[in-house]
Amino acid sequence: MLSRNHSEVYARRLRAVLIRSLPLLEARGIVVVILAGVVGVMAGILVTAMSQIVQDLHGLLFGVQPGGRLSGMFSLANPMQALIPAIGGMLLGLTVVWLRIRKFRTPIDPIEANALYGGRMSLTDTFIIAGQTMISSGFGASVGLEAGYTQVGSGLASRLAGIFRLRRNDVRILVGCGAAGAIAAAFDAPLTGAFYGFELVIGIYSVANVAPVMTAAISASLTAEMFGGVPFPLELSGLPALTASQYVPFLLLGLLGGAASIAIMHLVTLIERGFARLSIDASLRPVIGGVIVGLLGLITPQVLSSGHGALHREFSMNYGLAVVASVFVLKLAASAVSLGSGFRGGLFFASLFLGALLGKAFADVMLVISPATGIDPAVAAVVGMTSLAVGVVGGPLTMTFLALESTRDLTLTGVVLAASIMSAILVRETFGYSFSTWRFHLRGETIRSAHDVGWMRSLTVGSMMRRDIKTIYASTTLAAFRKEVPLGSAQRVIAVDAGDHYVGVLIVAELHSDPSGGEVPVRDLAKYKDAVLVPSMNVQAAAETFQRAGAEELAVVEDFTDHIVLGLLTEGHLMRRYAEELDKARRDLSGEG
C-alpha cells in the first residue's frame, strides 16, 4: 500500500495534470460538479455493496430466501434464531471495547461535520460507523442502514475534497453530495437524495448547490441500478380521487405524525438513560438489547432489521386495526430498545414503517368516526409515512419526494406536502430537533441543523477581548478614584480585590457624577458583579451573557472559580465582529468570496 505521503504526492500530481490538461477545470464550479459525479458513483457502489452484505447475512443467519426480506417473513424458521440479535450485540460490544482501548473519540457524522468542521470527516469514523451499522442490521437489530449509507458517501466525499484542497464551502457541498448520492442509491430516488442533501446536510437550497447535488444523486441512482441495487417502489393502484373535504383529516394526520415523532425521540432517550442507570458496561448493553429484540422477533419478524419487507406487506395486505396497532407497538419497542441499548443505526426507515402503520390505524379509526369522509387506507399510509418521518428525520421536501418517487403518483403531491409541513411546524415549534440533532443536544452540542456555525467556535471571547484594561482596588474610596482616574481618561475601570480577583465594572462618567460621599468605597458602586465572560466562550454564549446581564461591557476572567481578570469586552465590539463573520460566511456560501 502507498503511504499517506506518497498518496498526497500522487494526488498533487494528478491535480496538476488535470488542470494543465483541461483548462476548463480552472472554473471552480465545474470541478465541484465533476467531483460530485465521482462521489455519486462511489456512493452507489458502496450502498449496493453494504445492502448486499446485510442481505447475505440475513440469508445465512435467518434463512431468508434470495430476493426476500427478513421483516417480510411471517415467522422465524427456528425459535433459536431469536438469539441472533444477542450474538450481534456481542460482536458490537467487542467493537466498543476495541474502540475504548484504542481511545477513539465519538465519530462525527455528516450533519455535525458540515455544521462545525467545514465538512471535514475522518475515514476511520466512516468505516467504524459503516461496520457497526452492518453488524447491527445484519444480525436483526431494529435499525436502518441509512446512517451507514450517508456516512460512507459523505466520508469519501470529504476525503476527495481534501485531496483536491477545495475551499470550505465546496467541501461542505461535496459532503452533501455524498449523502445525497447515498440516499438516492438506497431508494432509487434522485430527487429524494438531492433534497436530503439540501435540507439535512448542506442546510440550504441554492442555485450554486443544484448542479453538483443533482449530479451526485442521479449518478448514484444509475450506478446502484447498474450494480443490481433493489429499488423501493410502493405499488399503489386504483387510488380514489382526493376531495377537498379530505384535506382536513389528512392535516390532522400530519399533526399526529409530528406528535408521534416527538414521543418516539423521547422514548429512545428514556430507554438509553434506563440502560445507563443499570450501571452495566456499554459493551454489554447491546447484548441485553439483542435478547429483548429477539424475543419481540419471535412474536413477529416484522420488527427485525430496517423493515423494508414489512412495509411492503403493510401496503399489499389489508390488516385490521388490532394487528396494525400491535405491530406499531412492537416495532416501536424494538427500534427504541435497539438504539437505546447501543446498536448502531438510525430511525430513518423505522419512521417510514411506523408512519405507514399510524396512517393505516388513522384510516380505520376515521372509518368508524366519520365513514362519509372516505379516507383511503393506502393514501393514509403514505401520508402517515411521510408525516412521522419528517418529524424524526427532518426535511419535509425530502420525505414528500420520497413518497412521490416511491409511489410514482403525482396526485398525492398536495396532501402529502401539506401534511408534512404541518408535522414539521409542530416539531419545530414544540420540540425543535430532528432525531440526529436531538442526540447532539443530549451530548451537549447546540446544533439544530447543518448550517455552518463552525466559525462561531473560532470567534471566541479570548480572540475579541481587549487586554489593555485599567484596574483599581475595590477598597479605593470614591474621592481617591476621582483623583486617580480623571473624567475623560478612561470609559471604564475594573475593580479588583487584594488578590486581583474580579469585583465589578466601574463606569468612570457615572462615578464622577455620583452624589455619594467621597469616603464610599468604589466596591459599592461597581456594576455587573455576578456577570463575567471567560476566554473559551463563543460569540453566541457571550451574546446571551450580555443579554441576561443587561450590560454593555463585561470583564473577561480566567475561569469561573478564581475570577482573575484578563481583559474586557464590549457588546458593541462583539456584535460588530459577529456581523463581519456572518457576512463573510454568507458570501462564501453564495460563492461571492
Side-chain angles (χ1 to χ4, degrees):
M1 292 181 63
L2 291 174
S3 68
R4 183 172 179 179
N5 289 337
H6 288 161
S7 298
E8 291 176 352
V9 170
Y10 177 77
R12 285 198 298 270
R13 290 175 179 173
L14 175 61
R15 184 169 59 250
V17 169
L18 285 172
I19 292 176
R20 284 198 302 269
S21 303
L22 299 174
L24 185 61
L25 289 183
E26 294 179 2
R28 181 178 58 85
I30 301 298
V31 173
V32 175
V33 172
I34 293 173
L35 292 178
V38 174
V39 166
V41 172
M42 292 192 302
I45 294 172
L46 290 169
V47 165
T48 304
M50 289 175 65
S51 177
Q52 189 59 52
I53 290 170
V54 171
Q55 283 295 100
D56 290 344
L57 283 173
H58 289 168
L60 177 66
L61 300 173
F62 294 95
V64 178
Q65 296 301 310
R69 294 282 188 172
L70 174 58
S71 61
M73 298 172 64
F74 286 93
S75 63
L76 295 178
N78 187 331
M80 295 301 292
Q81 290 174 338
L83 295 175
I84 292 174
I87 296 172
M90 293 179 190
L91 294 177
L92 194 67
L94 291 176
T95 68
V96 171
V97 172
W98 179 74
L99 292 173
R100 185 186 300 156
I101 293 172
R102 298 295 298 270
K103 297 182 179 179
F104 278 102
R105 56 174 174 73
T106 302
I108 296 172
D109 80 351
I111 295 176
E112 186 178 8
N114 265 8
L116 298 178
Y117 305 108
R120 295 188 301 275
M121 297 177 65
S122 163
L123 276 185
T124 302
D125 289 356
T126 294
F127 294 136
I128 288 171
I129 290 180
Q132 290 183 329
T133 303
M134 286 191 290
I135 291 172
S136 299
S137 187
F139 280 76
S142 190
V143 294
L145 285 166
E146 290 76 21
Y149 292 157
T150 56
Q151 186 76 28
V152 165
S154 296
L156 289 174
S158 180
R159 172 54 63 91
L160 189 63
I163 290 174
F164 283 85
R165 296 186 179 179
L166 299 185
R167 69 185 197 178
R168 181 185 181 94
N169 191 56
D170 293 335
V171 177
R172 295 181 72 254
I173 290 175
L174 210 60
V175 167
C177 289
I183 295 300
F187 293 97
D188 190 22
L191 288 174
T192 300
F195 276 87
Y196 184 94
F198 292 138
E199 292 186 301
L200 301 173
V201 181
I202 299 175
I204 190 172
Y205 172 89
S206 71
V207 175
N209 298 342
V210 173
V213 174
M214 286 302 303
T215 298
I218 293 171
S219 60
S221 183
L222 293 174
T223 301
E225 287 184 14
M226 184 184 305
F227 283 91
V230 179
F232 178 67
L234 296 176
E235 300 296 338
L236 301 180
S237 59
L239 294 180
L242 293 172
T243 63
S245 62
Q246 291 176 333
Y247 268 73
V248 173
F250 281 130
L251 292 178
L252 175 60
L253 177 56
L255 292 174
L256 289 175
S261 68
I262 296 172
I264 289 169
M265 289 185 276
H266 277 300
L267 177 62
V268 172
T269 303
L270 185 65
I271 291 177
E272 193 171 40
R273 289 174 175 168
F275 272 101
R277 290 195 186 100
L278 292 176
S279 300
I280 298 173
D281 190 81
S283 62
L284 298 177
R285 294 172 196 169
V287 181
I288 299 172
V291 170
I292 298 173
V293 171
L295 293 175
L296 294 173
L298 278 177
I299 302 173
T300 172
Q302 290 187 71
V303 306
L304 299 177
S305 195
S306 58
H308 284 73
L311 181 62
H312 284 280
R313 266 181 60 184
E314 290 301 326
F315 275 98
S316 61
M317 304 185 74
N318 188 24
Y319 292 111
L321 177 60
V323 174
V324 171
S326 62
V327 173
F328 180 92
V329 172
L330 291 171
K331 177 62 176 179
L332 175 58
S335 295
V337 168
S338 295
L339 292 170
S341 63
F343 280 102
R344 177 71 72 176
L347 281 174
F348 190 112
F349 205 91
S351 66
L352 294 174
F353 181 37
L354 291 169
L357 293 171
L358 178 67
K360 279 209 163 186
F362 178 81
D364 288 340
V365 172
M366 287 298 296
L367 183 62
V368 176
I369 296 176
S370 179
T373 308
I375 300 296
D376 184 79
V379 176
V382 173
V383 173
M385 178 180 78
T386 54
S387 299
L388 196 149
V390 164
V392 171
V393 180
L397 289 176
T398 300
M399 293 306 163
T400 299
F401 279 117
L402 178 59
L404 299 181
E405 289 184 293
S406 58
T407 62
R408 312 294 201 264
D409 192 334
L410 293 177
T411 62
L412 299 176
T413 304
V415 68
V416 167
L417 182 59
S420 297
I421 291 173
M422 294 300 292
S423 173
I425 291 173
L426 177 67
V427 174
R428 185 182 69 240
E429 296 298 326
T430 62
F431 189 63
Y433 299 93
S434 67
F435 182 66
S436 295
T437 56
W438 172 238
R439 294 178 75 81
F440 295 147
H441 169 74
L442 295 176
R443 278 172 28 202
E445 294 284 4
T446 56
I447 307 171
R448 290 180 180 264
S449 72
H451 286 287
D452 191 3
V453 295
W455 57 271
M456 284 191 182
R457 296 203 166 186
S458 60
L459 193 61
T460 61
V461 168
S463 68
M464 293 184 288
M465 70 180 184
R466 287 177 47 193
R467 296 182 180 273
D468 56 334
I469 56 171
K470 183 175 179 60
T471 60
I472 196 169
Y473 287 121
S475 58
T476 304
T477 63
L478 180 58
F481 174 86
R482 289 170 175 168
K483 290 181 180 179
E484 186 173 340
V485 187
L487 189 63
S489 62
Q491 291 183 327
R492 57 193 68 82
V493 176
I494 305 297
V496 297
D497 62 15
D500 289 332
H501 301 100
Y502 173 75
V503 173
V505 176
L506 303 172
I507 309 301
V508 175
E510 291 183 5
L511 264 67
H512 274 274
S513 61
D514 192 281
S516 302
E519 298 305 313
V520 174
V522 293
R523 176 194 309 274
D524 297 345
L525 304 175
K527 303 176 70 173
Y528 318 129
K529 297 179 180 180
D530 299 321
V532 291
L533 305 171
V534 294
S536 60
M537 277 185 172
N538 64 31
V539 63
Q540 184 178 11
E544 291 172 355
T545 304
F546 273 109
Q547 185 177 16
R548 286 195 303 269
E552 295 181 0
E553 56 275 304
L554 288 174
V556 182
V557 299
E558 188 172 330
D559 55 56
F560 288 118
T561 304
D562 294 333
H563 280 203
I564 301 296
V565 177
L566 300 177
L568 183 134
L569 181 64
T570 65
E571 185 180 30
H573 181 66
L574 172 94
M575 298 312 294
R576 281 194 301 273
R577 287 294 309 278
Y578 173 78
E580 290 169 359
E581 293 296 329
L582 181 61
D583 185 58
K584 179 182 176 183
R586 286 173 175 167
R587 288 200 308 273
D588 288 342
L589 193 62
S590 63
E592 296 174 7

